[in-house]
Amino acid sequence: MANRHPCVSFSLVAGLLLGVAAAAPESTPAASAPVSSATSASPAAATTTPPAFPTGVVSASGITHAFLAHSPVQGKVYKIAPNGDIAGEYTVGLKGEDSWLLPNGRLLASYTGGVREIDTATGATTWEYKAGPGVEIHSCQPLLDGRVLICECGSKRLFEINRDLTIAHEIKLESSQPTHKQFRLARKTAAGTYLVAYGSDA
């Protein structure tokens, strides 16, 4: 069985309702101290224990599936199996934030200086776009026509790029923020429009 990675964890947070009873006078034995009716009637005890899920299940309804966990600091993407084990580990480059497992089994992922497609069987780079100086990339999206949607900070542009590295479509973006704070994830919708997350200019 594969090892679990220390950076990947699951947590359940249960809210705690604390009832505080008034302190009994010093002359009164602890056994006869009055108990606040609010404390004794509190339903908090029923909510302080997280529900016990079956092994490998992180959903009360029993949903299980694999997923990708992107570690910007390590410059890696981890494929996490339904039971929580690491099923794959891929080096993509530092400060990446977006990754996709493609239908052909390859991995498409962003890193601060570009976007890479990686053969998950060998770790080899099969396709790559490299950004220019002073540019940061935090987002990529594979499109149905084989193109890749990329959003750049610094150059302030959103574009669809072909696999031969020619630009098929480009939109200029606006931001008065420093390069690192300009944009994050961007997506092309089924309607052909674009959604871009950006830093506030307020």
Side-chain angles (χ1 to χ4, degrees):
M1 179 178 291
N3 294 328
R4 296 176 184 267
H5 195 276
C7 292
V8 180
S9 64
F10 300 100
S11 62
L12 295 173
V13 180
L16 301 179
L17 177 63
L18 301 180
V20 180
E26 294 183 0
S27 59
T28 304
S32 62
V35 179
S36 167
S37 59
T39 301
S40 60
S42 172
T47 62
T48 55
T49 302
F53 297 145
T55 301
V57 177
V58 294
S59 167
S61 59
I63 297 174
T64 60
H65 58 81
F67 67 93
L68 297 178
H70 206 136
S71 174
V73 175
Q74 295 178 328
K76 294 183 177 182
V77 172
Y78 297 91
K79 182 179 179 181
I80 308 301
N83 68 349
D85 290 340
I86 296 176
E89 179 179 328
Y90 318 105
T91 299
V92 298
L94 294 177
K95 299 182 180 179
E97 298 177 22
D98 212 358
S99 53
W100 303 75
L101 191 60
L102 304 178
N104 61 10
R106 293 177 180 174
L107 178 77
L108 183 73
S110 69
Y111 64 99
T112 189
V115 176
R116 287 190 177 113
E117 182 184 273
I118 294 175
D119 185 332
T120 54
T122 64
T125 298
T126 55
W127 181 85
E128 183 171 14
Y129 166 77
K130 294 183 179 180
V135 173
E136 291 184 13
I137 294 178
H138 301 276
S139 178
C140 65
Q141 179 190 8
L143 303 178
L144 294 178
D145 53 12
R147 296 172 181 170
V148 178
L149 180 69
I150 298 175
C151 184
E152 288 187 341
C153 300
S155 65
K156 302 179 188 177
R157 63 177 185 153
L158 177 72
F159 58 93
E160 295 183 21
I161 189 170
N162 295 310
R163 291 307 180 115
D164 62 1
L165 300 181
T166 57
I167 304 298
H169 182 60
E170 181 176 332
I171 298 176
K172 287 295 184 181
L173 304 175
E174 296 182 1
S175 176
S176 61
Q177 292 290 312
T179 297
H180 184 66
K181 296 182 178 181
Q182 289 174 356
F183 314 108
R184 283 302 180 266
L185 297 184
R187 295 291 184 262
K188 185 175 184 179
T189 70
T193 58
Y194 300 94
L195 298 174
V196 180
Y198 63 94
S200 174
D201 288 329

